[in-house]
Each structure stands twice: as C-alpha cells, then as structure tokens.
Amino acid sequence: MAGPSSPHSSGGQSRRLGNGRYRVMAEINMTPFVDVVTVLLIVFMVTAPLLTIGVPVDLPEADAQSMGEDNQPLELTIQQNGAIFLQDKEVAFDELIPRLTAIAGNDLQKRIYVRGDSNLNYGRVMEVMAAVNRAGFRKVAMVSRRPSQAR
C-alpha cells in the first residue's frame, strides 16, 4: 500500500527515496491559475460591450456601405426628446458650436458623425446639422444601423 512516505506516492511536497532520504518535488499546480484566468476572461467579456456604449439612441436602419475611417471622429447624438450630446456629454444647442470648435481645435476637416433617434423629429436633426455646417464643418455624416442589426 502506498502511503505518504512510500516511494510510489506522487502527491505532497517531497518524495522519499529508497535510501531513506527525501527529495523536493518541483511541481506547479496550474488549476488555480486557469481558474483566475477564466474568471478574468468572463469579466472582460461582460464589461467590454458596456464600455463602448455611448448615449442610448434608437438608430434608423439603412442598407448602405460603411465609410472608411482615417481618424477618430466626433460623435453628435440627438435623442428622441431633442437632447443633444457631444461625445457623451449633454450640451445645450447654444453651446454646441463653441464646444465643437474647441474639441476639434479649429480643424474644420474633422469628421463628425450625427446619430439621431429614429423617432426624432427630422426638423431637429436638420437644425443641428445646419448649425454645424454654418460653423464651417464639411465632413458631417449621419449614422444608421444595418437592417440585420435590428433589435
């Protein structure tokens, strides 16, 4: 029978050799490491989509090809209630152009994506886009979702 001091025992910190001496076992237990990595993977998989969500808005559907991006665009979001968000901060209509100009650093070639709720009055979207256009920004595009991404 193989006991803890038996030469046939494989568990424990040391192993007894045939001449009465012990030899240190150098084994690495990978189970705790795999458990921790698995938990971290699950945490990152759950939190990653939450980090990319900006201002919630129900985008209209359009079957158009995506535009290529050369740099990080500015996002202008208009919610169903008419609230305007620059990136993820709410701004009043009067403050929109000064803040947009400050963020763009007077770069009138900066790309601006306008995200408008599908239930929003079209006039409100045009009012905001006209103000951006009057400020001199020419690379303004509207964002939609593909029909396959319907909720």
Side-chain angles (χ1 to χ4, degrees):
M1 177 167 180
S5 62
S6 169
H8 302 292
S9 171
S10 62
Q13 295 296 320
S14 61
R15 179 178 286 177
R16 185 173 180 182
L17 299 174
N19 60 3
R21 295 178 24 199
Y22 287 93
R23 166 171 75 105
V24 176
M25 294 292 295
E27 295 178 5
I28 297 175
N29 188 357
M30 293 295 291
T31 305
F33 175 72
V34 172
D35 290 345
V36 169
V37 170
T38 303
V39 169
L40 287 175
L41 178 66
I42 292 170
V43 167
F44 285 126
M45 287 173 52
V46 169
T47 58
L50 299 176
L51 298 176
T52 59
I53 295 174
V55 179
V57 65
D58 184 22
L59 294 174
E61 294 179 1
D63 192 19
Q65 292 201 355
S66 299
M67 296 173 26
E69 293 185 29
D70 51 355
N71 57 10
Q72 187 68 23
L74 293 174
E75 282 192 12
L76 194 61
T77 305
I78 310 167
Q79 286 186 325
Q80 183 178 1
N81 63 0
I84 302 170
F85 289 82
L86 182 56
Q87 300 297 74
D88 59 349
K89 305 245 189 278
E90 187 171 4
V91 295
F93 183 74
D94 303 351
E95 300 172 4
L96 175 63
I97 299 306
R99 284 204 184 173
L100 192 59
T101 306
I103 291 174
N106 291 324
D107 179 15
L108 299 178
Q109 297 301 313
K110 184 79 173 169
R111 185 174 302 278
I112 301 171
Y113 287 167
V114 178
R115 301 170 63 228
D117 194 284
S118 63
N119 298 317
L120 178 67
N121 182 348
Y122 184 68
R124 181 66 170 165
V125 174
M126 290 311 299
E127 179 184 20
V128 171
M129 288 185 70
V132 170
N133 192 308
R134 279 193 306 270
F137 293 97
R138 299 291 181 245
K139 292 188 174 183
V140 181
M142 296 194 72
V143 178
S144 65
R145 60 187 160 119
R146 293 183 185 259
S148 63
Q149 295 176 342
R151 295 178 194 177

